[in-house]
Amino acid sequence: MNITRYIANVDRDTPVLTTDFLIIGGGIAGLFTALKAASYGKVVVLVKKSIEESNTGLAQGGIAAAVHEEDSPFLHLEDTLEAGAGLCQIEAVDILVREGPERVRELISAGARFDMKNGSPSLTREGAHSKARILHAADATGEAIRIALVKKCEENPDISIIEEQFLVDILTSEKDAECYGALVYDRAHDLRLIYIARATIIATGGAGQLYKNTTNPEVATGDGMAASFRAACRLTDMEFIQFHPTVLYSQESRRFLISEAVRGEGGLLYNNRGERFMASYHPLEELAPRDVVSRAILSEMSKHGGDFVYLDMTGMPGAETRFPNIFRTCLEKGIDIRRDYVPVSPAAHYTMGGIATGASGETGIYGLYACGEAACTGVHGANRLASNSLLEGLVFGQRIVENFEEILYRRRISADDVFSVFDPARVYRSPQEKIEPGEARKRLQNIMWEQVGIIRHEAGLKMANQEVEGIYNQLARGDDPLAYYEVVNMLTTAHIIIQAALWRKESRGGHFRSDYPARDDIRWVKHLSFVNC
């Protein structure tokens, strides 16, 4: 697949704007980084659609941190490494668990309100955690955090949040491996803009929309990963996709998550014969890692038929008050969690891989950083420990801004610098424009779900690779530039996921090959990285 350097053109009539910090993405990673960066300069936060749309706002369970006296960063580290199946970068995990509690305290100071018990945060336990260490705000923790951070950012005169701004391409000098800023499509005014910045920070989130069934919002199309790949950043660990096992079954593409905390507090899984089954798959039963539970559910559906299994919350006193969002949403579907079992099945949830970064968010391109789900810091390894994602956004966003002296003493970039290095001959153009973006998106989502999902094998992966390349080579521009750009990014990201899944001939964490079902620590304790040369 011929992945080009750019997907849109730049000319000297393109308006140019400047700032100190350009942050692309409005989830927890982008907003927390913006608050920190505002102490050192002007900050522009670009949001793809509205500030309400992000994975942060959908996060139910909570944020993990060793804040209780019976817990410790070391125990949190051990649990994270165990979940990561041998591929976590221990230095990155150590940073996460040691610096995490202080970042959470700062989040509380910024206005985030968590549930309390006897004057201290009320902590719950989730799958693969050895201790109760999840701070939560009922079952809408992410939304509580998002609201607090948005309010704080809007009160700061040095932060501008601009909606309807889509990242098209990252602008760099390839000769000097230096980032100048970004080319952006302003959907509200139907024009392209250039933002020049001292530091460009990618916080665009994940790529769940590559799959037919996902918990992710419509905006999660892998844009930051794809744009960074075109700009010659390394993408690492892309084969590891986390599928959340308990998602409310429906015919909708974006499905409603039933929090891990439900099983952490006593929720039980039953197959359609009314039998509990998790004891047959893992000693931790319902609290097993997400990949184990997801495959167990698929196995039960295959053995006994049906498109879902059941989650029982009827034996949990007060579940309707502990999980009010889940209670309300299920009730709208005609399910009363106080007396009815909830039909659940897995869906794509989180991308463990992403833009390879160092401990301070650096990408290898001077002036370009990444944090949050778009980045691969090495924290998650092959399988993310539940509720570590929100914490990662805080910790590594902070560490980017700690480089403020290097960022602010960087030379000023001019518009002429940008125009002089842009090569219009390297803009993507489909050889045959036959498939409209909307149709391409649907076809891609079906391919990824069927062939590159929870269980994979070589024949299916090769078929998926051919089909994705065929769609890429026949993609029409259509009438909506945003839809076109999104699909190019989705196809690009999907191509890399498929290649990584083909190369890794073993099963580990979020990557399971039915033709190589065993974990192979002799050959495969290593990371796969891809660079667009």
Side-chain angles (χ1 to χ4, degrees):
M1 199 159 118
N2 180 28
I3 297 173
T4 59
R5 174 62 186 83
Y6 306 105
I7 59 173
N9 203 9
V10 165
D11 56 52
R12 290 188 175 269
D13 293 329
T14 307
V16 177
L17 301 95
T18 61
T19 187
D20 294 310
F21 297 87
L22 176 65
I23 299 174
I24 306 172
I28 188 172
L31 294 175
F32 189 79
T33 306
L35 282 175
K36 292 293 185 171
S39 298
Y40 306 108
K42 296 293 183 181
V43 181
V44 170
V45 179
L46 301 182
V47 180
K48 182 174 176 179
K49 288 189 177 177
S50 75
I51 192 63
E52 286 79 21
E53 289 193 70
S54 71
N55 269 330
T56 295
L58 297 175
Q60 292 180 8
I63 184 167
V67 296
H68 194 274
E69 60 185 12
E70 294 182 3
D71 197 3
S72 72
F74 179 74
L75 292 174
H76 191 182
L77 180 142
E78 282 193 321
D79 290 345
T80 301
L81 295 180
E82 177 67 22
L87 284 188
C88 295
Q89 298 282 1
I90 191 168
E91 298 86 357
V93 179
D94 186 56
I95 289 168
L96 179 82
V97 300
R98 281 191 298 102
E99 299 183 9
E102 180 59 28
R103 299 291 84 77
V104 168
R105 284 188 278 271
E106 291 178 359
L107 190 61
I108 293 170
S109 297
R113 294 289 176 260
F114 298 107
D115 293 344
M116 305 294 286
K117 184 177 181 180
N118 300 325
S120 299
S122 173
L123 303 175
T124 190
R125 185 180 171 198
E126 294 183 350
H129 286 271
S130 60
K131 296 287 185 180
R133 64 167 66 96
I134 315 301
L135 295 89
H136 53 84
D139 58 348
T141 309
E143 181 65 359
I145 292 171
R146 188 195 66 77
I147 289 170
L149 290 178
V150 169
K151 183 175 185 293
K152 205 73 175 175
C153 285
E154 289 178 341
E155 291 171 351
N156 193 312
D158 291 319
I159 300 174
S160 300
I161 299 175
I162 309 174
E163 299 180 324
E164 300 287 344
Q165 307 293 305
F166 178 82
L167 169 65
V168 178
D169 281 310
I170 295 166
L171 302 174
T172 64
S173 165
E174 295 176 75
K175 177 183 176 183
D176 302 319
E178 181 178 9
C179 179
Y180 293 165
L183 176 65
V184 172
Y185 173 60
D186 180 342
R187 195 182 192 196
H189 301 95
D190 190 26
L191 57 84
R192 289 194 293 271
L193 304 171
I194 291 171
Y195 279 88
I196 293 175
R198 293 177 181 268
T200 301
I201 301 163
I202 306 299
T204 49
Q209 282 292 324
L210 269 64
Y211 288 88
K212 178 182 176 182
N213 302 315
T214 182
T215 63
N216 288 189
E218 290 290 323
V219 295
T221 52
D223 305 313
M225 297 177 192
S228 298
F229 181 73
R230 289 193 295 272
C233 290
R234 284 187 302 124
L235 296 191
T236 298
D237 291 347
M238 294 296 288
E239 65 270 40
F240 298 114
I241 306 294
Q242 188 170 82
F243 294 83
H244 200 289
T246 54
V247 176
L248 181 63
Y249 178 78
S250 73
Q251 295 301 319
E252 299 164 5
S253 174
R254 188 178 78 75
R255 297 188 174 182
F256 179 76
L257 180 73
I258 305 293
S259 170
E260 188 102 26
V262 169
R263 285 176 287 125
E265 297 185 23
L268 303 175
L269 288 168
Y270 290 86
N271 61 26
N272 65 9
R273 297 169 63 175
E275 303 165 335
R276 285 190 64 193
F277 57 86
M278 278 309 303
S280 301
Y281 295 93
H282 198 279
L284 289 175
E285 300 184 1
E286 275 78 5
L287 288 178
R290 288 175 176 177
D291 62 299
V292 175
V293 182
S294 292
R295 289 196 300 275
I297 290 172
L298 280 192
S299 175
E300 292 299 305
M301 287 159 47
S302 175
K303 285 179 188 176
H304 306 301
D307 296 323
F308 48 83
V309 297
Y310 294 97
L311 180 64
D312 175 19
M313 302 173 65
T314 61
M316 300 169 59
E320 70 276 13
T321 53
R322 169 65 180 87
F323 301 104
N325 191 32
I326 292 172
F327 174 64
R328 183 174 57 253
T329 302
C330 287
L331 208 57
E332 290 170 358
K333 306 287 186 182
I335 303 163
D336 187 336
I337 63 172
R338 295 169 297 186
R339 60 172 183 265
D340 301 326
Y341 285 9
V342 181
V344 295
S345 61
H349 183 57
Y350 193 87
T351 311
M352 264 79 74
I355 307 158
T357 72
S360 297
E362 68 276 22
T363 64
I365 295 177
Y366 184 50
L368 180 64
Y369 303 85
C371 59
E373 191 175 351
C376 183
T377 61
V379 160
H380 305 307
N383 199 22
R384 176 177 67 92
L385 183 66
S387 292
N388 268 356
S389 55
L390 295 178
L391 189 70
E392 183 195 27
L394 299 177
V395 168
F396 290 93
Q398 162 76 30
R399 290 181 70 85
I400 290 172
V401 177
E402 286 174 359
N403 285 328
F404 73 93
E405 290 184 346
E406 175 185 306
I407 291 168
L408 294 184
Y409 283 105
R410 185 184 172 202
R411 74 179 180 90
R412 288 198 174 274
I413 307 299
S414 70
D416 284 338
D417 290 326
V418 174
F419 297 133
S420 66
V421 299
F422 189 87
D423 181 1
R426 301 178 67 189
V427 176
Y428 167 70
R429 293 176 179 84
S430 171
Q432 309 173 57
E433 296 194 9
K434 294 181 179 179
I435 305 174
E436 291 295 312
E439 175 62 21
R441 184 174 181 137
K442 289 178 184 176
R443 284 172 59 175
L444 173 66
Q445 289 171 330
N446 283 324
I447 292 163
M448 293 296 288
W449 182 255
E450 296 295 334
Q451 307 299 345
V452 201
I454 297 170
I455 297 176
R456 305 158 176 180
H457 59 85
E458 184 169 343
L461 291 169
K462 286 183 174 178
M463 181 192 306
N465 194 49
Q466 290 177 348
E467 292 193 32
V468 167
E469 184 167 1
I471 296 169
Y472 184 81
N473 290 330
Q474 298 179 73
L475 183 64
R477 296 190 68 86
D479 299 324
D480 182 356
L482 177 60
Y484 170 75
Y485 296 144
E486 277 187 330
V487 173
V488 175
N489 287 337
M490 292 170 74
L491 290 165
T492 301
T493 307
H495 172 68
I496 299 163
I497 292 171
I498 294 166
Q499 288 297 314
L502 267 169
W503 285 7
R504 184 172 288 278
K505 292 179 170 57
E506 66 154 354
S507 292
R508 183 186 298 268
H511 168 71
F512 187 87
R513 289 276 299 261
S514 60
D515 46 349
Y516 296 95
R519 174 170 154 175
D520 183 351
D521 283 344
I522 295 175
R523 298 176 180 85
W524 288 104
V525 181
K526 59 184 176 182
H527 302 271
L528 299 180
S529 294
F530 296 79
V531 181
N532 190 29
C533 299

